[in-house]
Amino acid sequence: MADVATNATRTSLSMRQPGATRDPVRVALLLAAILLCAAKPILPDFLVRLPEAWIPPLAQWLDAFFDFITGDMQEGRFGLIYITRWFAEGPLDFLLGVTANLLEGKYRWPYMADPIPWAAVAGLAAVIGYYLGGWKLSLLAGGTFVWTAFMGQWELTMQTLSVLLVAAPLGFFVGLIVGIAAWKYKWFDNAIKPLLAVMQTLPFYTYLLPAVIFFKVGPTAGAIATTIYATPPMILMTTVGLKKVSPEIVEAGKMSGASRWQMLTKVFIPSARTEILVGVNQVIMLCLAMVVLTAFIGMPGLGGKLLAMMNSLKLGRSFEIGITIVLVAITLDRLSKAWVRKLPEHHPKDTPFYIRYKYTVLSVVVFAGLYLLAQPIEILNEVGRRQSLSMGREIDGVFETFLNLDSVEAITGTIRYVLNVWVLIPFRDALLWIPTSAFILLVVAFAYGVGGKKPAIYAAIFFSIVAFSGWWDRSVITLYSVLSAMAISMMIGIPIGILAARSEKWSERMLLACDTAQTFPSFIYLLPAIMLFGITDTTVVLSIVIFTMVPLTRYTIEGLRSVPPELTEAADMAGCSRWQKLTSVQLPLAMPTMAVGFNQGIMFAFFMVIIAAFIGTQDLGQELQRTLAGTDLGKNFVLGINVSLMALTFDMAILSWANRRKKALGLD
Amino acid sequence: MTSDSPVISCRNAWKLFGPNPRQYLKSMPAGHSYEDIRADGYIAGVKDVSVEVAKGEMLVIMGLSGSGKSTLVRCFSRLHDITGGTIEVEGQDIMALPEKELIELRRSKMGMVFQSFGLLPHRTVLENVAFPLEMRGQDRHARRERALEVIKLVGLEGREEYFPRELSGGQQQRVGIARSLAIEPDIWFLDEPFSALDPLIRREMQDEFLRLQAMLGKTIVFITHDFDEALRLADRIAIMKDGAIEQCDTPDQIVLDPQTEYVRKFTEDIDKAHVVHASVLAKPVNGHAVEGDAIDGDRTIHQIARQLVSDPREHLPVAGKDGKVMGVMARQEALEVLLGDSANG
Amino acid sequence: MKIHSMMSVAAVALASASAGFAAEDSSEPIVIPIHNWSSQIVMSHVVGQIYEEMGNNVEFVTTDSQAVYESVRLGDVTLELEVWEGAFGASFREALEKGGLHDAGDHDAVTREDWWCPMWTKDACPGLPDWKALNDCAELFATPETGDKGLFLDGPVDWLKHGKERAEALDLNYVVKNAGSAAALWAHIASAEEDKTPILVFNWTPNFAEAVWPGEFVEFPAWEDGCDTDPAVGPNPDALYDCGNPADGYLKKAAWDGMEEKWPNAYEVLTKISFTNAQIAEMAKLVDVEDYEPEEAAEIWLEDNEDVWKGWLPGGDT
């Protein structure tokens, strides 16, 4: 027994870094990079920074290109904008009008005089929650809407939901159709894969500007930006699901004489239900995240109010809105996940119809009942401002007291000083000091060492494009924030994950905390962070850390808990101490999963670093935010692509490593 | 079409898997072996197969996994397109059928049962069984009627509203069988229908299957990797290896007279007495005295063992299906089958 | 409140009937943009409610305060109620040149946007608000990150405030850093408040901040036309941006060119609308200090100031 365990230990140790240190290519790349750095004073200028003259006017070219395809309505030059504007002003505006009329009472078709009373919506949500997941879910779903109403945020929430109600189904249908096409036609799949990869890493600011230009400012642009942002996972999940349908079911369908259309609608799609619904869940979650962020292009609703509250420094109210967003997000997440798990149940023959359709009947009764009840009873219809239970001021007070505590100030002051002056600023200056050529070589060496040849080649191409885009320094600063944040969140997130993974109970609690932290709108963190750490790099990095820690902790827990029990048992029997077991059995086996978390962390960091422009940065995010105010599509796009390319470099390297490790460990 | 022309007629059929199979098959030298083909980067799923299935016959295709038996049956229904040769179903070259007619053919003539049942998880038993009827556009009422009828036939009454996951494996396969029978197909394909089941259930299902077949008399192509099952069910058995048919014969003949080493290996451990029928051992009367009661030709040697041991006659008369004596059987020969004398093997 | 509105609708209906207007306003909604500061939001609702009482349909869209001019130009948005000279003058002029929108008159209110310090800073640096005191006090405004230079926290880059250029042009010993948002500026002031840390930030009037944190604008060399285009203007002959922003900048209204034809009555009201600094500050206060929702704040303001807005209504001044 002991032999087995020690053997396992030995192999795991020797496998830990597959040929990492002595690979000649890697060594050569590193040496070259170091040489270039050492020789910086005598290097020709173009190796240090590309001269301005070499940088192609990408933005202008793109502008000209966009201009051409956009067309101009005032000049009557036909282009894409005719189509998009037609769509925005026709069907999309109609749909948004319908939901806005029903939920907010906006003056649109079907011209209902009053919006649906909150009590009726909450009741309906409770019934649906009960149907999908029993009492707990019923309480969560109903409770969320009751909270919303009593916090005086009903209208805001409905403004957000009325867009979500259009954007999410739109994302679902587009994703489904594109997913089916990608599954059916290999060439199409190959064509959209890189596009999807870029879309998933593109900063959300890059979606916003084109949305406004093509789809008109207001809810239509918001709905479109939201849809585009949320669709990629739906496409991927649809394709995955369809590919997974068992060949026998396919053959059974064919042998039943199903035509192609019947095959698709009656065999493939229903059989891929689980994956498609997982896609739906992701669409809903991303839509909600984005619909809040569209506040930046002027979408009303929870996000818009949040931004307004923050702009008048009302932390308490902002915080309450944040809680509402979390509640809505968790409710929608849990409901749609329960829907994934929900399997149809049969009823015995001759079940009367009101039992067979008891949930439908119950929904109608509850909804109609509360609707009618709300007519005479005003509080069920609308909770007035003075009746609401908002505690904004009280929370403000708590915040203020906390922030003004001398001990808090002393601690944050020290952290701010140490991190900024000793760590972050020197690190940033060092990165900026490195000649561009050496920087690219370092990144390539990293990609090569971690991911292998292919990621290395892509790293070289991607970072060269970044260099030629003319935004090198800002890109390096962006990367610097991301790397610093990742380093700090690893130091915090991984130990937390390891500790939590030791018990089932704590794992679950921690995972719930992760869910909450992830759905809490990211820019709420920013204000308290500024008050604690000033408008400095520390604030930027720490607010990214809050976000990136989540996947690190989550995947550490999941990785550790998925280690096969017989291996830990073998380690126990071999007399491993807790620490030995952790370092030589559990962590090596959890590494591939943790790498996925690490990767997600980096993606989150690239997302958050852009939002951190709200604090005040000197990176790509700041420039991106600036483009929002204008019509510089070309520049907006170039900046966005830079972020995307850097993110993809890491994505490819790390995922390729994780996949290889999984294969080597036989985990997949 | 006359009743004695074959329902399925397969001539020199090839199914190659690989990058460019059609072209490869054309340029391939004759006599290329399975290994040669594989060395060229192709897999011969079906290799030069010629076989016919007569109306009302049950052909069992037997082989180990990877022998191409499932591929062959999928070629019969054109779930796979063959690479070379022809396959005719009721005289129609199915490779020449446009999609619409192919679908029509499947909707009206073919039924298939799958190893892992291939049930649609989101549909109830009733809806699964009614599925082929729905596909051909029958109205709701009519298809419900028919589905209930077949469900009753396979003994699943009362479970119409269940979902597949709520049923045991055996019950699920009954649903698969019911579905394949719903359209009253002329040709019934069964792809290892009982392999996924526990041995006890398997036996029960085989009996059930034989009962249904006795009742319905379909033309059947049945696939199995279980030789016992093949022997138990088949009119004829085709044994496949590496995509090709090694031998296609009645069970009795396969057992008595295996033509290749591969087939012989299969038959080695078989108790032949359970397989060989008296009628197979019967030889033309040719001067032997026919005396006493005739043995029923449909009985296996095992079934007549007691009589064989005790009967004093050297040659026993054997009666055909019509009750008339069809020939005589040498007692010695029958005893050798009974005792498993390897000389006869 | 409801009864009150109904009464005023009746009053308006009567008024318009007596005035006998020939042209009718279109029933399509007038789209009023809303931005992310309170006074503008309340003002938009005030005007929106006036329009609604006139029988028009009104729709509010939240938009970016710079991008809005492009939208007004295209007719996606009908009007803009707060065109600040300093902040949006450039975007407004640009859109004006492209065509599609026009100047619909000034408010009484004047605007000012410039470097600003809260009152508590004066104790430490008594030379303020004269800009010449800035360099002497630079160390007071230093932070760990800026070394011995002072820190000036400028508005977000997209406000195009040219703080860096001014620091260079006037040879100020300051690091200019851009906050990412108005909220970041407030957070910065709020966190300095407790310890009365001296700070120098970008600020403007009218806004809610003046009610919360009293302070003063730094007095730079007075604005002269051409300071941003001609180096010769201002004290430094070789640099642009070597003077302060206009101390009495305009606050304009802008309208889409098609508005007059489509909603003639509403357009007429728009040209008459004019708020004073005090009124704007009051609107902001209702929301920022007294915690009303913008819609409620607008109702309250309308109720309290009937004599002001009744005069703008069609036929109201006859």
Side-chain angles (χ1 to χ4, degrees), chain A residues 246-260 262-263 266-267 270-271 273 343-349 356, chain B residues 74 77 79 99 103 106-107 110 112 114-123 131-132 134-135 161-163 165-166 179 189:
Chain A
S246 103
E248 285 210 337
I249 289 185
V250 178
E251 287 174 342
K254 283 188 183 164
M255 286 307 292
S256 300
S259 65
R260 283 168 194 236
Q262 288 172 323
M263 279 303 286
K266 307 215 157 163
V267 178
S271 304
R273 175 183 179 273
L343 292 167
E345 273 165 31
H346 71 268
H347 297 280
K349 241 180 175 169
R356 192 172 287 249
Chain B
R74 280 163 175 72
S77 55
L79 283 171
E99 184 174 315
I103 287 178
R106 289 177 182 157
R107 282 180 182 176
M110 293 177 167
M112 186 160 176
F114 297 89
Q115 180 174 4
S116 337
F117 325 133
L119 299 180
L120 296 164
H122 56 289
R123 289 172 163 249
F131 186 68
E134 185 184 333
M135 290 302 102
E161 301 296 330
Y162 280 54
F163 285 91
R165 77 194 144 82
E166 298 175 303
R179 177 177 64 187
F189 299 108

Side-chain angles (χ1 to χ4, degrees), chain C residues 17 80-81 103 106 137 141 147 153 165 169 188 201 212 268 271 304:
Chain C
E80 165 60 52
L81 289 167
D103 184 341
D106 292 2
C137 302
F141 297 105
L153 191 65
E165 290 84 346
H188 184 69
V201 298
V212 186
E268 200 202 321
T271 53
D304 295 349

Side-chain angles (χ1 to χ4, degrees), chain B residues 138-164:
Chain B
Q138 232 155 307
D139 73 80
R140 184 179 289 271
H141 187 71
R143 61 186 197 234
R144 187 184 156 85
E145 286 295 297
R146 172 64 189 155
L148 286 173
E149 208 173 295
V150 213
I151 288 169
K152 192 170 168 190
L153 188 70
V154 298
L156 279 180
E157 260 177 305
R159 314 254 155 147
E160 294 86 359
E161 301 296 330
Y162 280 54
F163 285 91

Side-chain angles (χ1 to χ4, degrees), chain C residues 2-21:
Chain C
K2 272 207 171 137
I3 292 169
H4 165 79
S5 322
M6 276 163 64
M7 276 165 62
S8 26
V9 168
V12 168
L14 255 164
S16 10
S18 62
F21 273 89

Side-chain angles (χ1 to χ4, degrees), chain B residues 57-121:
Chain B
E57 183 190 25
M58 178 167 358
L59 174 72
V60 173
I61 302 177
M62 217 290 302
L64 301 182
S65 56
S67 60
K69 54 191 191 309
S70 288
T71 312
L72 180 60
V73 81
R74 280 163 175 72
C75 290
F76 289 167
S77 55
R78 214 181 137 189
L79 283 171
H80 288 335
D81 285 352
I82 48 173
T83 319
T86 53
I87 291 177
E88 286 177 7
V89 173
E90 300 197 331
Q92 273 181 310
D93 178 357
I94 59 163
M95 286 303 290
L97 289 180
E99 184 174 315
K100 225 175 148 183
E101 286 177 39
L102 177 69
I103 287 178
E104 198 42 49
L105 179 73
R106 289 177 182 157
R107 282 180 182 176
S108 58
K109 294 248 159 80
M110 293 177 167
M112 186 160 176
V113 181
F114 297 89
Q115 180 174 4
S116 337
F117 325 133
L119 299 180
L120 296 164

Side-chain angles (χ1 to χ4, degrees), chain A residues 569-589:
Chain A
E569 281 163 11
D572 284 337
M573 293 307 292
C576 288
S577 68
R578 255 193 187 175
W579 178 251
Q580 285 172 319
K581 191 165 77 175
L582 184 69
T583 54
S584 35
V585 178
Q586 289 170 308
L587 279 182
L589 282 165

